[in-house]
């Protein structure tokens, strides 16, 4: 009776866990690209920490009442939180990193940060991390706005359960 059950999309089978940590959090400094002076830009980590702290305050309201999502402020925060969780997914980073590697093969390594910033662009993975952070920041409000326009379904369980996925946000028309 495992504590974690995994539904494998490729085989359409359910299997017992537990999941390995390296399949969940395998990237170091994912949200902290290295700058030209060798330091790291920690601002995205700071933003994530603030959001996760606020989620800790909001979560009891969501689990305790059916009316919490009727509050526009709470609903707006949840939309922002879900959008942020979707955009910060390592799957999104992996796609971005693959694109950076391909562009470098075709066009070569840029001599400086194309956005005029202080990002160290010599390493493809670091360059992708910088682009990843900019993408998250640039898309989170737009995605949250789209989520606010949708009808939501909330799942509740009788016992303590975590339901998650590799891409937790799905749009269905």
């Amino acid at each position: 009776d495992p504590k974690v059950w995994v539904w494998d999309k490729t085989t359409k089978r359910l299997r017992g866990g537990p999941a390995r940590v390296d399949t969940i959090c395998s990237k170091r400094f994912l949200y902290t690209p290295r700058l030209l002076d060798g330091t790291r830009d920690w601002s995205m980590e700071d933003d994530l920490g603030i959001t996760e702290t606020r989620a800790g305050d909001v979560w009891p309201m969501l689990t305790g009442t059916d009316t919490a999502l009727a509050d526009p402020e709470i609903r707006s925060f949840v939309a922002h939180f879900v959008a942020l969780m979707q955009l910060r997914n390592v799957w999104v980073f992996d796609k971005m990193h693959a694109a950076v590697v391909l562009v470098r093969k075709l066009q070569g390594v840029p001599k400086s940060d194309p956005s005029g910033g202080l990002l160290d662009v010599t390493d493809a993975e670091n360059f992708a991390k910088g682009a990843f952070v900019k993408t998250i920041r640039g898309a989170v409000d737009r995605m949250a706005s789209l989520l606010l326009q949708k009808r939501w379904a909330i799942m509740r369980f009788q016992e303590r359960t975590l339901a998650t996925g590799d891409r937790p946000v799905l749009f269905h028309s």
Side-chain angles (χ1 to χ4, degrees):
D1 186 30
K3 297 274 187 203
V4 177
W5 287 94
V6 178
W7 183 63
D8 188 328
K9 294 186 301 190
T10 57
T11 64
K12 306 288 190 232
R13 298 178 72 192
L14 188 67
R15 63 177 171 79
R20 293 186 347 241
V21 171
D22 64 336
T23 63
I24 298 170
C25 49
S26 59
K27 302 280 189 219
R28 293 187 71 219
F29 302 116
L30 185 57
Y31 313 108
T32 57
R34 191 176 53 260
L35 303 175
L36 287 171
D37 64 4
T39 62
R40 292 197 172 272
D41 177 359
W42 291 94
S43 62
M44 189 71 209
E45 282 286 351
D46 294 341
D47 293 349
L48 290 169
I50 290 166
T51 300
E52 290 166 358
T53 298
R54 173 89 199 281
D57 294 336
V58 169
W59 220 252
M61 290 182 258
L62 293 174
T63 60
T65 176
D66 290 333
T67 60
L69 286 175
D71 181 330
E73 186 178 328
I74 291 175
R75 189 174 168 91
S76 180
F77 171 75
V78 171
H80 178 85
F81 179 81
V82 171
L84 189 58
M85 294 303 106
Q86 170 65 14
L87 290 167
R88 72 179 266 188
N89 192 307
V90 72
W91 179 85
V92 176
F93 170 77
D94 288 341
K95 296 296 180 193
M96 188 163 291
H97 184 233
V100 167
V101 169
L102 181 60
V103 167
R104 284 171 176 242
K105 284 182 182 177
L106 296 171
Q107 299 177 354
V109 177
K111 297 194 182 336
S112 63
D113 185 346
S115 66
L118 302 173
L119 185 66
D120 178 359
V121 298
T122 57
D123 173 51
E125 185 175 26
N126 191 64
F127 184 76
K129 287 177 182 179
F132 182 52
V133 167
K134 287 179 186 173
T135 299
I136 293 170
R137 284 207 166 104
V140 71
D141 289 338
R142 188 171 57 246
M143 182 179 274
S145 175
L146 290 171
L147 288 171
L148 285 170
Q149 296 171 22
K150 302 290 181 186
R151 187 175 300 159
W152 293 14
I154 305 297
M155 295 187 302
R156 290 201 180 140
F157 300 91
Q158 294 301 320
E159 49 190 66
R160 294 178 63 99
T161 305
L162 170 67
T164 188
D166 61 344
R167 287 188 255 162
V169 177
L170 298 173
F171 291 102
H172 178 52
S173 56

